[in-house]
Amino acid sequence: MAKHTIVLIPGDGIGPEVTTATRRVIEASGVSIDWVELPAGANAIAQGFDNVLPERTVAAIKAHRVALKGPVTTPVGKGFKSVNVQLRQRLNLYAAIRPVRSLPGVKTRFENVDMVIVRENTEGLYSGIENEIVPGVVTSLKVASEPACTRIARYAFRYATRRHRKKITVFHKANIMKLSDGLFLNCARKIFEEEYPNIDYEETIIDAGCMKLVQDPTKFDVLLMENFYGDLVSDLCAGLVGGLGVVPGSNIGEEAAVFEAVHGSAPDIAGKGIANPLALIMSGVMMLRHLHEDTAADRIKIAYNAVLEEGDKSKLTRDLGGTGGTDSFADAMVAKLK
Ligand code: NAD
């Protein structure tokens, strides 16, 4: 069996708790991994690094090409550029893929939700270019470039085709942001018309799209959007299937891939041992598939579906109506994998 070297970034807040749980579960699945643990976020500053994203961490991800990352906190108002924005831009992790699915035993308003958000990850409103024009007047630049818009559109259509998905819906606000969202839309249309006419294609203005999502998310399949919209819509969609504790993600580029949950460092519950590790475990499953470790990925998926379906409250975290914590869920998973 091939041995993989994976960079592990515990991160901040609930990050160390959920990464420890995820590592245990992945190791119990039978894959052979050398973990290279490195800091990012407030944690890096606490360890004496002068940047929230140390060079050593970036270099290790470049060298090993795959990372599993806990959420990080970027200290606000201290002049640091967001760790996530830096990481995604520096490693050119241009596609964020976030599957949002109904899970067995997790009761929500809707059943049979099965969507994938494809979010452009390197530009848009999160380019991090802000200026003070004069005191009291600031601007935040929304950047859209044809290569980046085309690249993410092509990724979404290719992904949809490979995964046998039927439809792509582009969320936009081109009625107001005619140039930037207009370009995003034009690039998506072009890829649809010239390269993937067999996939159903639709466009929706994002405000109406959000309403349609909460009315009936089962009408959606693959959702394609720019950076900022992808951030907001990801959390909205998480709320439709059980919350941030159950939505995984990956950040994919040509040279590297970083797997992380959609959720943040959750300072309100950090250190209490009650965070749900499932979103990061599911991100780990995405990572194993990326590494062609499908047997281990399938085993973990079967195990978490079984733990959820059994519904033993003592094993489930509170966000899922349980009375257990991070470790009790991980223990239940490890027991299934033995
Ligand atoms: P958050 O996602 O951390 O938390 C939102 C809510 O969801 C909180 O009530 C939290 O307790 C709950 N929640 C989140 N993850 C959970 C889990 N695994 N199990 C149970 N409940 C969970 O969002 P926030 O509070 O807006 O942000 C906190 C910090 O995280 C900020 O510093 C933000 O910048 C950072 N952040 C980081 C990332 C990342 O590193 N990828 C993503 C989003 C936010």
Side-chain angles (χ1 to χ4, degrees):
M1 190 198 303
K3 188 159 197 163
H4 306 282
T5 304
I6 309 280
V7 177
L8 183 72
I9 302 173
D12 302 312
I14 61 170
E17 299 162 60
V18 294
T19 44
T20 301
T22 301
R23 180 176 170 162
R24 281 184 61 210
V25 169
I26 290 176
E27 284 172 354
S29 76
V31 278
S32 180
I33 293 180
D34 265 342
W35 301 97
V36 179
E37 194 171 314
L38 286 163
N43 189 286
I45 302 299
Q47 287 186 34
F49 289 90
D50 58 1
N51 194 321
V52 283
L53 183 60
E55 280 309 314
R56 198 192 296 175
T57 304
V58 178
I61 303 174
K62 278 187 180 161
H64 302 299
R65 300 170 69 96
V66 178
L68 183 67
K69 174 182 165 294
V72 295
T73 305
T74 301
V76 176
K78 301 209 173 130
F80 294 114
K81 189 172 171 182
S82 155
V83 176
N84 292 317
V85 170
Q86 280 193 68
L87 198 60
R88 291 164 192 172
Q89 289 179 345
R90 288 197 55 190
L91 297 170
N92 220 347
L93 304 171
Y94 67 89
I97 311 302
R98 296 166 160 192
V100 180
R101 290 197 191 99
S102 301
L103 290 164
V106 180
K107 295 262 173 299
T108 65
R109 253 169 229 276
F110 303 102
E111 286 172 4
N112 305 318
V113 177
D114 182 6
M115 308 182 271
V116 180
I117 297 165
V118 178
R119 164 186 175 188
E120 204 292 321
N121 228 3
T122 60
E123 51 179 40
L125 203 52
Y126 284 5
S127 301
I129 307 170
E130 294 191 308
N131 293 302
E132 185 179 58
I133 306 299
V134 290
V137 181
V138 295
T139 59
S140 194
L141 217 59
K142 173 159 172 161
V143 178
S145 70
E146 197 172 338
C149 295
T150 301
R151 178 173 67 173
I152 193 67
R154 187 173 282 122
Y155 188 96
F157 278 96
R158 194 172 57 217
Y159 178 94
T161 305
R162 286 186 182 161
R163 303 290 175 122
H164 308 292
R165 295 227 165 225
K166 300 275 176 286
K167 183 173 73 173
I168 291 189
T169 307
V170 182
F171 277 43
H172 69 90
K173 195 75 188 176
N175 50 326
I176 308 286
M177 283 166 273
K178 294 178 196 301
L179 287 183
S180 52
D181 280 17
L183 178 62
F184 193 87
L185 217 45
N186 282 338
C187 293
R189 272 180 205 161
K190 194 160 185 273
I191 296 294
F192 161 61
E193 284 162 7
E194 294 180 2
E195 299 180 24
Y196 294 92
N198 295 334
I199 300 276
D200 288 345
Y201 173 77
E202 63 180 22
E203 297 164 356
T204 180
I205 293 178
I206 186 161
D207 32 356
C210 287
M211 180 202 65
K212 290 180 201 161
L213 269 173
V214 298
Q215 279 183 327
D216 187 359
T218 63
K219 295 230 162 70
F220 291 89
D221 192 350
V222 176
L223 280 57
L224 168 64
M225 60 200 84
E226 65 90 50
N227 212 338
F228 176 53
Y229 305 154
D231 194 3
L232 303 191
V233 171
S234 296
D235 278 37
L236 183 151
C237 289
L240 302 171
V241 295
L244 285 165
V246 299
V247 178
S250 59
N251 303 290
I252 308 284
E254 305 297 341
E255 308 291 330
V258 175
F259 295 82
E260 66 178 337
V262 169
H263 64 71
S265 53
D268 53 335
I269 56 167
K272 296 182 178 164
I274 58 171
N276 190 348
L278 181 53
L280 192 66
I281 291 171
M282 293 165 106
S283 309
V285 169
M286 293 175 80
M287 180 184 82
L288 292 174
R289 296 208 188 282
H290 178 81
L291 297 167
H292 305 293
E293 292 283 3
D294 287 299
T295 306
D298 289 341
R299 290 192 68 216
I300 297 176
K301 188 171 178 187
I302 290 166
Y304 69 64
N305 279 336
V307 174
L308 293 173
E309 218 158 6
E310 283 163 16
D312 178 344
K313 284 193 186 314
S314 69
K315 293 176 180 159
L316 301 177
T317 48
R318 290 165 203 201
D319 56 318
L320 298 184
T323 55
T326 315
D327 288 344
S328 59
F329 186 81
D331 290 345
M333 291 279 307
V334 170
K336 294 267 179 223
L337 289 163
K338 268 189 183 149

